[in-house]
Amino acid sequence: MKWPIVEESTILSVRKTKIEYLNRTTELMIDLNKCTSCYQCVKACPKDALVKPEIPKGKKVPRKERVPIFPEPLKCVFCGVCLTLCPFDAIFMKLDGDVLNRDNLPLRVGNKIPEIEKVKMKKVILKDEKSDFHNEFWDHIMERIQVK
Ligand code: SF4
Ligand code: SF4
């Protein structure tokens, strides 16, 4: 039995979390220079794998003073929703050392990635859901992140 190895670090301006399990390595990185702490990814993540720092109740913290998000590696299913949605291109992921971005996400089909119509709290609704769009990777991910 091999347990996942989790590494968390902040190197220069990147907050990084890395998980190794069997022969797979996944990494999620937040570019602290780009992240504006808008917390949209926190609302969108279907697995609660991104957390924002606690702000005392009633206290307003201006966005430029906010602390960036923290990824929780053991909760992340590597769906790519946060990366797709981040308005500031501040999230990066690697799968087995290969950088994934909007142009080469595994859920991409040809030149197309599923279009996200809207994100309700923790639920992602795809624009293509009712069309004949089909992608096994995405189907699998959607099964894993299904909100009950
Ligand atoms: S959506 Fe992007 S900019 Fe906003 S908190 Fe998340 S990583 Fe930072
Ligand atoms: S890849 Fe998916 S599960 Fe992981 S942090 Fe991003 S939205 Fe959450």
Side-chain angles (χ1 to χ4, degrees):
M1 178 76 175
K2 185 175 175 186
W3 294 99
I5 300 166
V6 179
E7 262 178 51
E8 291 185 286
S9 61
T10 303
I11 323 154
L12 297 174
S13 57
V14 176
R15 179 165 290 155
K16 175 175 158 174
T17 185
K18 180 177 177 182
I19 181 159
E20 285 180 59
Y21 184 61
L22 299 174
N23 56 355
R24 304 242 78 176
T25 306
T26 61
E27 291 165 80
L28 191 82
M29 286 154 277
I30 316 294
D31 185 328
L32 302 180
N33 283 333
K34 290 186 176 174
C35 178
T36 64
S37 299
C38 69
Y39 301 147
Q40 289 197 36
C41 55
V42 178
K43 287 188 202 148
C45 173
K47 295 303 284 181
D48 285 329
L50 297 167
V51 288
K52 59 181 186 182
E54 285 284 324
I55 298 173
K57 223 178 173 179
K59 188 176 174 204
K60 282 207 167 166
V61 181
R63 193 183 282 183
K64 62 177 190 299
E65 289 173 23
R66 290 184 196 165
V67 180
I69 52 168
F70 296 85
E72 290 211 28
L74 291 176
K75 289 186 176 176
C76 179
V77 293
F78 215 56
C79 65
V81 167
C82 56
L83 183 153
T84 310
L85 288 182
C86 174
F88 302 96
D89 286 335
I91 302 185
F92 301 87
M93 294 196 294
K94 278 189 189 175
L95 179 60
D96 301 333
D98 294 330
V99 177
L100 299 178
N101 52 41
R102 284 197 187 93
D103 296 329
N104 62 2
L105 278 174
L107 55 84
R108 194 176 172 88
V109 186
N111 290 326
K112 187 177 171 204
I113 55 171
E115 262 191 79
I116 292 168
E117 185 167 288
K118 58 184 165 183
V119 178
K120 290 183 183 176
M121 284 293 279
K122 313 296 176 201
K123 180 154 171 63
V124 179
I125 295 159
L126 294 183
K127 217 171 198 164
D128 318 67
E129 238 169 2
K130 292 195 180 73
S131 71
D132 55 4
F133 173 85
H134 183 73
N135 177 303
E136 278 179 21
F137 176 86
W138 184 250
D139 288 352
H140 177 63
I141 292 298
M142 290 309 279
E143 266 168 37
R144 291 175 71 188
I145 65 179
Q146 199 77 42
V147 180
K148 306 278 183 219

